[in-house]
Amino acid sequence: MSRSPSFAVKQELSLKTDLESLQQWVVAFCIIRFDLEQGQLIEECYPPGSLSNEEELDVAFSSFPDSVSQNQNRSSIHDCIFFFRIQRRKSSEQRNVNSSEIVEIDDKEVSSNSMKDKVINRRKIRNDTKQLKYLYGYVFNRQRHDERLRRGGEQKSVVILSHNPYSSVFRPLLQIMGPLYFDLGKKALEHIAAYVSMWPAPVPGKHMELPIGNALLKVSLPPAHSLSFEIGMFEESASAMAPFLPNNQSIPQGLFHDSDIFGTFRSILLQLWLLWELLLIGEPILIIGPTPPQCCEAVASLVSLVAPLPCSIDFRPYFTIHDPDFKHLNSLREGDTFPPMILGVTNLFFLKALRNIPHIVSVGSPALNSNQVPFASRSAGRIHGRPEGFGLQQLSLKKFSPSSLLSAVKLRRDGPLCLMTEHKEAVWSTYVATTKPDTSILNRLIDAGMLPRVEESMSVVNNEILRRHFLELTTNFLAPFGPYFRATTPSEGSLPFIDPPPLPPFDADEFLANLSARGVGKFLSKRMKSNWLDLYKRFLKGPNFMPWFQRRLTVAEQEQHRLWRQARMKADIKLLISKMPELEVVDYFNAIERHLLGEIQVIAEKYF
């Protein structure tokens, strides 16, 4: 695959990389080669010393497609893009100061004192980033088949490592960087790093334009409320978070907002509402796809399905037997509770190794055979090779045949182990969903037609329809919690310098009793069975509720603090004091003094 025609390196660019700016986006760039005798080897890691030895092994093992999942492709060159998510691991011993900790500062810009402070702050930022829990790896893998080589071929992976789940940024960046590396070698890493270090800091929830050479990446970043607290304490406004349905649909509402829901689950669309509930209550799910891009896209699509609710359970878009967590999962016995995780795998061995996992989803087509990277701007990682055309007959909404009914019964009876002999798209779960599939939404989906370009554009439209529906479904589900996040303002004529009243305390039993008496609302009542209260009970006990509720509560408290601070700034103190007895004036003075000291402390912590 040749270099992207839309990219050219600017000759005048200085190759000096600002490492601090780079780390706002990227932890490291890696080149990994599969050696026939030694296995996966990291050839390059830039900046050097960014990973511990254990992390290097984890990244290397996660950066190659499983050989079992790739045996259908015998073309001379095969490129694919996928991503993984692994836990960061501390180094077994303290490393010496490496290049990522060396900071060069222009003496003309700062004095010696401010230089010292700047170095300390920069090192503090780097030390903080090493404590982050997860690392995302975005992989451009190239397999080159040549009978003249040992074992008939070779493969290498170009990997971008980041603490940020910015697929809309790193996938198109890989489309430039991957081919460029195979043209220029190591120099390509330095070029790309230099450009990325010139980018402005990421602004969650905003559209950004990021230049790479003569190319321009136009991307939308996921909102702050969908990101983990550990990624960065971005400012969040109450208006930008659930439970209120956003007016501007062009702004992303959650992670992986550009994932291809329609293309990924095209053959099992009726199961989307079941999968939405499983994600909502935090049930463990195993997703099996023939290739890493397909299982990654399925995991990303499921995570995006519950937006604007942040997914607080652990998800692994591409999980292998080499992952350190596999040993624990494989040791679970019959009857043990499987931890809440979403695992994307290609190796069928997991069907036996993780037999305790209660929900299994099989997606994708094994007929993928293309030397092009499966990526589209709005439907990233789109699955090629599927049967063309889309009609309601495939959904069995209008017409049920005896043969299709028998096939469904046989599929359920055989269980997921039938995938060992033939790949099929299906869902195996004993969970009975409360939410009914919305046939009106499915009827709005457009037939993709026969031409790839038509199919791609129709897939974008269909994704918008599905994403809008599930966004509305989730928002309405979370709406009953709204009163707990309602910030108050001082009443007219009252004293804004007293402490604001606390937000209503949450009691699960009281909430459920009130909800049962009041009802779930018109939108959900038409789409859920009569046992809808059970879904709320499961949600309250699940792993997604408390992190979302606490975060939402924090934002509401900050909003209330802002409103009362604004009222204090506008208050006419002379007028208020003139109406008070002397003792109240003293108390009022003490209250004002306390708030002023608090303001001074906040400013001191922010700037010193």
Side-chain angles (χ1 to χ4, degrees), residues 38-57:
Q38 301 180 59
Q40 293 91 331
L41 296 176
I42 293 186
E43 286 189 343
E44 303 286 347
C45 183
Y46 183 85
S50 301
L51 305 173
S52 67
N53 293 334
E54 294 87 348
E55 288 172 334
E56 286 186 352
L57 285 174

Side-chain angles (χ1 to χ4, degrees), residues 149-166:
L149 300 174
R150 289 183 62 190
R151 297 193 185 179
E154 65 176 7
Q155 59 175 321
K156 273 190 176 184
S157 289
V158 179
V159 184
I160 301 174
L161 296 171
S162 177
H163 290 126
N164 303 306
Y166 295 160

Side-chain angles (χ1 to χ4, degrees), residues 143-217:
Q143 296 180 344
R144 184 168 70 92
H145 296 275
D146 190 336
E147 298 300 329
R148 295 169 296 181
L149 300 174
R150 289 183 62 190
R151 297 193 185 179
E154 65 176 7
Q155 59 175 321
K156 273 190 176 184
S157 289
V158 179
V159 184
I160 301 174
L161 296 171
S162 177
H163 290 126
N164 303 306
Y166 295 160
S167 294
S168 61
V169 176
F170 297 123
R171 279 177 159 177
L173 181 60
L174 274 175
Q175 284 190 293
I176 295 173
M177 183 179 176
L180 189 69
Y181 168 77
F182 287 103
D183 281 355
L184 300 182
K186 181 183 176 181
K187 192 178 294 184
L189 304 186
E190 298 169 351
H191 280 303
I192 297 296
Y195 282 117
V196 173
S197 70
M198 293 190 295
W199 288 354
V203 184
K206 301 295 183 182
H207 303 294
M208 299 190 72
E209 294 186 351
L210 307 173
I212 290 286
N214 67 335
L216 188 67
L217 305 183

Side-chain angles (χ1 to χ4, degrees), residues 349-597:
F349 168 73
F350 284 104
L351 287 173
K352 295 181 178 179
L354 304 182
R355 53 190 171 274
N356 282 350
I357 200 164
H359 315 288
I360 297 176
V361 182
S362 175
V363 299
S365 168
L368 185 67
N369 186 14
S370 170
N371 63 350
Q372 296 181 353
V373 176
F375 175 84
S377 60
R378 292 299 302 277
S379 54
R382 194 169 60 82
I383 298 173
H384 297 270
R386 290 180 174 277
E388 297 290 349
F390 174 75
L392 294 177
Q393 292 81 2
Q394 290 178 282
L395 294 175
S396 302
L397 293 179
K398 292 184 175 178
K399 187 177 178 181
F400 289 92
S401 67
S403 60
S404 64
L405 182 61
L406 289 173
S407 298
V409 172
K410 185 177 184 299
L411 198 64
R412 179 173 291 276
R413 183 192 64 207
D414 293 344
L417 287 178
C418 69
L419 298 173
M420 303 292 287
T421 56
E422 181 185 2
H423 184 80
K424 300 175 181 179
E425 295 179 85
V427 176
W428 289 272
S429 173
T430 58
Y431 179 82
V432 180
T434 300
T435 313
K436 296 175 285 189
D438 194 323
T439 54
S440 65
I441 294 298
L442 296 174
N443 277 307
R444 288 172 56 195
L445 300 182
I446 303 171
D447 190 330
M450 298 298 291
L451 299 175
R453 286 186 180 179
V454 174
E455 182 183 359
E456 183 175 315
S457 61
M458 291 305 98
S459 187
V460 170
V461 173
N462 289 338
N463 278 322
E464 291 293 332
I465 293 172
L466 291 170
R467 200 172 300 284
R468 171 68 185 182
H469 170 72
F470 282 100
L471 176 65
E472 195 171 6
L473 190 61
T474 307
T475 304
N476 276 276
F477 180 82
L478 298 175
F481 298 96
Y484 295 96
F485 314 128
R486 206 161 286 157
T488 61
T489 55
S491 58
E492 192 169 343
S494 64
L495 303 178
F497 285 90
I498 62 174
D499 292 329
L503 295 176
F506 181 79
D507 179 86
D509 293 334
E510 183 183 357
F511 169 80
L512 292 171
N514 292 336
L515 186 60
S516 177
R518 187 174 66 251
V520 75
K522 186 177 179 181
F523 182 88
L524 291 183
S525 62
K526 294 195 303 183
R527 292 167 173 82
M528 288 186 172
K529 300 173 185 176
S530 58
N531 63 336
W532 53 265
L533 195 63
D534 291 337
L535 183 59
Y536 276 94
K537 291 178 182 178
R538 288 174 177 265
F539 176 63
L540 293 178
K541 294 178 181 178
N544 284 322
F545 168 68
M546 193 51 69
W548 167 77
F549 186 87
Q550 292 289 355
R551 189 165 187 170
R552 190 70 184 83
L553 193 63
T554 300
V555 173
E557 288 171 345
Q558 291 173 349
E559 177 68 7
Q560 181 159 276
H561 173 77
R562 186 188 68 81
L563 293 172
W564 281 69
R565 181 176 181 270
Q566 194 174 50
R568 287 192 291 269
M569 293 174 66
K570 293 180 178 179
D572 188 337
I573 297 178
K574 287 185 178 180
L575 180 62
L576 290 171
I577 289 178
S578 66
K579 300 178 181 180
M580 291 182 190
E582 187 175 341
L583 287 176
E584 285 188 25
V585 171
V586 173
D587 293 338
Y588 203 47
F589 174 82
N590 292 333
I592 293 173
E593 184 181 37
R594 187 174 71 254
H595 283 295
L596 287 174
L597 290 173

Side-chain angles (χ1 to χ4, degrees), residues 95-392:
R95 299 190 302 276
N96 294 327
V97 175
N98 52 55
S99 60
S100 69
E101 294 174 330
I102 298 174
V103 181
E104 295 183 9
I105 302 176
D106 193 341
D107 291 336
K108 297 178 182 178
E109 294 180 1
V110 291
S111 66
S112 59
N113 288 335
S114 60
M115 183 194 302
K116 181 179 179 181
D117 293 338
K118 200 166 186 178
V119 171
I120 291 172
N121 289 335
R122 288 184 177 184
R123 286 182 176 170
K124 183 178 184 297
I125 290 172
R126 294 202 185 95
N127 290 334
D128 289 343
T129 58
K130 290 174 185 176
Q131 304 304 316
L132 298 179
K133 190 175 182 182
Y134 289 101
L135 199 61
Y136 294 84
Y138 297 85
V139 182
F140 180 99
N141 174 260
R142 171 164 289 186
Q143 296 180 344
R144 184 168 70 92
H145 296 275
D146 190 336
E147 298 300 329
R148 295 169 296 181
L149 300 174
R150 289 183 62 190
R151 297 193 185 179
E154 65 176 7
Q155 59 175 321
K156 273 190 176 184
S157 289
V158 179
V159 184
I160 301 174
L161 296 171
S162 177
H163 290 126
N164 303 306
Y166 295 160
S167 294
S168 61
V169 176
F170 297 123
R171 279 177 159 177
L173 181 60
L174 274 175
Q175 284 190 293
I176 295 173
M177 183 179 176
L180 189 69
Y181 168 77
F182 287 103
D183 281 355
L184 300 182
K186 181 183 176 181
K187 192 178 294 184
L189 304 186
E190 298 169 351
H191 280 303
I192 297 296
Y195 282 117
V196 173
S197 70
M198 293 190 295
W199 288 354
V203 184
K206 301 295 183 182
H207 303 294
M208 299 190 72
E209 294 186 351
L210 307 173
I212 290 286
N214 67 335
L216 188 67
L217 305 183
K218 296 184 178 181
V219 302
S220 298
L221 300 188
H225 72 256
S226 68
L227 302 171
S228 171
F229 266 134
E230 64 186 19
I231 291 178
M233 294 300 291
F234 300 111
E235 283 197 20
E236 303 173 89
S237 65
S239 61
M241 297 180 68
F244 306 108
L245 192 66
N247 295 322
N248 189 350
Q249 290 304 304
S250 66
I251 298 176
Q253 299 302 318
L255 295 183
F256 313 124
H257 53 273
D258 57 349
S259 59
D260 188 9
I261 300 174
F262 171 75
T264 302
F265 298 104
R266 187 172 180 172
S267 298
I268 51 175
L269 285 174
L270 278 170
Q271 304 293 339
L272 280 180
W273 286 263
L274 166 69
L275 297 175
W276 173 79
E277 279 195 27
L278 294 179
L279 262 290
L280 193 71
I281 63 179
E283 284 286 302
I285 303 174
L286 179 67
I287 296 178
I288 298 178
T291 65
Q294 288 173 317
C295 71
C296 285
E297 194 68 11
V299 172
S301 295
L302 284 189
V303 171
S304 73
L305 211 60
V306 294
L309 178 74
C311 183
S312 295
I313 65 175
D314 188 4
F315 61 90
R316 307 297 180 90
Y318 180 51
F319 189 76
T320 72
I321 59 173
H322 302 288
D323 192 288
D325 289 329
F326 172 69
K327 184 178 180 181
H328 166 67
L329 298 177
N330 191 36
S331 66
L332 294 175
R333 299 180 180 180
E334 194 73 31
D336 290 346
T337 301
F338 204 93
M341 302 179 77
I342 310 173
L343 302 178
V345 303
T346 60
N347 193 335
L348 296 176
F349 168 73
F350 284 104
L351 287 173
K352 295 181 178 179
L354 304 182
R355 53 190 171 274
N356 282 350
I357 200 164
H359 315 288
I360 297 176
V361 182
S362 175
V363 299
S365 168
L368 185 67
N369 186 14
S370 170
N371 63 350
Q372 296 181 353
V373 176
F375 175 84
S377 60
R378 292 299 302 277
S379 54
R382 194 169 60 82
I383 298 173
H384 297 270
R386 290 180 174 277
E388 297 290 349
F390 174 75
L392 294 177

